[in-house]
Amino acid sequence: MPRLGRLAQAGEYSGPIDLKSYEANQLAHWLKKMLVIRYAEEKIADKVVDGTISCPCHLAIGQEAVAVGFCESIRPSDRMFGAHRSHSHYLASGAPLDELFYEVRGMLEGCSKGFGGSMHLYAEKQGLKGTVPIVAGTVPLAVGAALAAKMDGQRKKDSSNLDVGVAFFGDGATEEGVVQESLNLAKVYNLPVVFMCENNLFSSHLHIDLRQPTDTVARFAAAAGIKCEVVDGNDIVAVADASRRLIEHCRSGGGPVFLEAITYRWRGHVGPSEDRDVGVRRKDDLDVWKRRDPVRRLVDSLVAGGKFTSAEFDKLQIEVKDQVETAWAKTNTGTYPAKSMLLDIVYSSKAQEQII
């Protein structure tokens, strides 16, 4: 049975990234988006600690390259679905930062009008149809959205440039039976759906070596006859290249694809702590994985390649931190929804009529 080998080893793949295929402006754009995600989540972590944010928050610090590299090939008409750890997907799609901050504070100006919190995000204009914390819950939704996209293409008599359905999920989700059913259905119907698995090696607090017979989950896609790739998720170029290849395959009518990106979250399963106390393996590996930092690797490669200077990076950091502070400060004048809005926002009027 195949294993990830060096890809799953903390001390490996910490060197420079091959940037020769990309212009400096493109790479700087990616770097800025990764910094926005990191600093925004660090702000959220600080506000959880001081009690300003009271909803559960699952942070993706350390995994930024996956979301940014993948979303580079997504267009607004696609149909994306995230899970409980999806601040990064929301921000990588280009959705407004201030609406994320409003949302985690439970305010009406939030992307889900303050009723969703950290785990129920929505960005219609960017193609993010919703994030749901039920493990693997959005995978079949993405398959259904892909079926709709395929039917839309057939109605337009254009099956060579389809919109795609996207399911973001972690390695733990592959242990849910609905993922296997979704893979099978997607292949049988030849649907334009991308299964985007961020394998950070942990399901809550349990390492994959203690849960599965091997540490790679792409084998489930291979068993269903689905085209798949496995990449270093902390190398943004590797993620962007693989995402582009696979999404183009979908758009052209080639059917479902599966991308497994190997990465590592720096913070705990939920909340701002690092969860160093949840197992010897994590306690020993975390500091080593931080040397595989996707942001630092991109910066070092840009500087080494003469595409960026250390001074430009310092300036960018200040710019992004200011952007995050400004967006957060804006939420101090936000509005909390009235309790009576529960029936207007959470339930549809039709559902109310049926209940009453």
Side-chain angles (χ1 to χ4, degrees), residues 27-95:
L27 297 164
H29 173 68
W30 288 349
L31 176 59
K32 183 176 181 179
K33 293 184 80 170
M34 292 167 71
L35 287 176
V36 168
I37 294 169
R38 178 159 300 184
Y39 293 153
E41 290 211 307
E42 288 179 348
K43 171 60 72 176
I44 290 171
D46 291 344
K47 294 302 175 182
V48 169
V49 171
D50 75 13
T52 307
I53 296 173
S54 55
C55 68
C57 292
H58 301 71
L59 305 174
I61 295 172
Q63 302 184 187
E64 298 90 346
V66 181
V68 175
F70 181 85
C71 286
E72 182 66 18
S73 296
I74 290 297
R75 58 195 189 198
S77 56
D78 291 326
R79 304 116 196 252
M80 295 192 291
F81 296 85
H84 55 279
R85 196 181 311 282
S86 280
H87 300 158
S88 57
H89 309 137
Y90 172 91
L91 292 172
S93 75

Side-chain angles (χ1 to χ4, degrees), residues 57-259:
C57 292
H58 301 71
L59 305 174
I61 295 172
Q63 302 184 187
E64 298 90 346
V66 181
V68 175
F70 181 85
C71 286
E72 182 66 18
S73 296
I74 290 297
R75 58 195 189 198
S77 56
D78 291 326
R79 304 116 196 252
M80 295 192 291
F81 296 85
H84 55 279
R85 196 181 311 282
S86 280
H87 300 158
S88 57
H89 309 137
Y90 172 91
L91 292 172
S93 75
L97 173 59
D98 59 341
E99 291 187 19
L100 171 63
F101 284 162
Y102 279 121
E103 189 58 41
V104 296
R105 294 188 72 168
M107 292 176 162
L108 198 56
E109 296 85 351
C111 59
S112 297
K113 299 187 183 303
F115 285 83
S118 167
M119 295 188 283
H120 298 86
L121 306 176
Y122 176 66
E124 174 68 25
K125 291 180 180 176
Q126 288 74 29
L128 184 65
K129 302 299 184 184
T131 68
V132 177
I134 297 172
V135 175
T138 49
V139 176
L141 296 180
V143 172
L147 173 60
K150 181 177 180 179
M151 294 173 69
D152 287 344
Q154 290 170 339
R155 276 193 289 270
K156 296 174 184 174
K157 297 183 179 179
D158 181 8
S159 296
S160 61
N161 189 23
L162 298 170
D163 292 329
V164 299
V166 176
F168 290 106
F169 55 97
D171 48 295
T174 63
E175 293 154 19
E176 296 281 350
V178 72
V179 172
Q180 316 308 323
E181 295 168 357
S182 297
L183 291 169
N184 184 68
L185 192 68
K187 180 60 180 178
V188 169
Y189 285 144
N190 197 45
L191 301 179
V193 57
V194 185
F195 298 97
M196 176 65 254
C197 181
E198 290 169 286
N199 184 351
N200 62 24
L201 308 177
F202 278 87
S203 176
S204 294
H205 302 146
L206 203 59
H207 194 274
I208 195 169
D209 283 348
L210 300 173
R211 304 174 355 245
Q212 298 196 24
T214 179
D215 53 8
T216 176
V217 297
R219 70 186 191 279
F220 296 122
I226 291 176
K227 182 180 178 65
C228 55
E229 292 195 31
V230 181
V231 298
D232 175 8
N234 286 16
D235 177 342
I236 191 166
V237 171
V239 174
D241 286 350
S243 300
R244 185 180 59 255
R245 285 193 296 270
L246 293 174
I247 292 171
E248 286 177 354
H249 180 84
C250 269
R251 293 202 195 286
S252 63
V257 294
F258 190 107
L259 178 58

Side-chain angles (χ1 to χ4, degrees), residues 254-306:
V257 294
F258 190 107
L259 178 58
E260 179 180 4
I262 312 307
T263 185
Y264 203 85
R265 57 172 161 78
W266 293 7
R267 300 299 178 103
H269 166 61
V270 57
S273 75
E274 293 185 333
D275 274 1
R276 289 178 184 266
D277 57 338
V278 300
V280 173
R281 180 72 176 270
R282 180 165 173 84
K283 179 181 178 182
D284 293 342
D285 282 356
L286 181 55
D287 287 337
V288 186
W289 267 98
K290 287 185 176 180
R291 294 201 290 270
R292 198 164 151 178
D293 178 359
V295 173
R296 184 196 58 75
R297 289 177 68 193
L298 177 56
V299 173
D300 288 351
S301 304
L302 281 165
V303 173

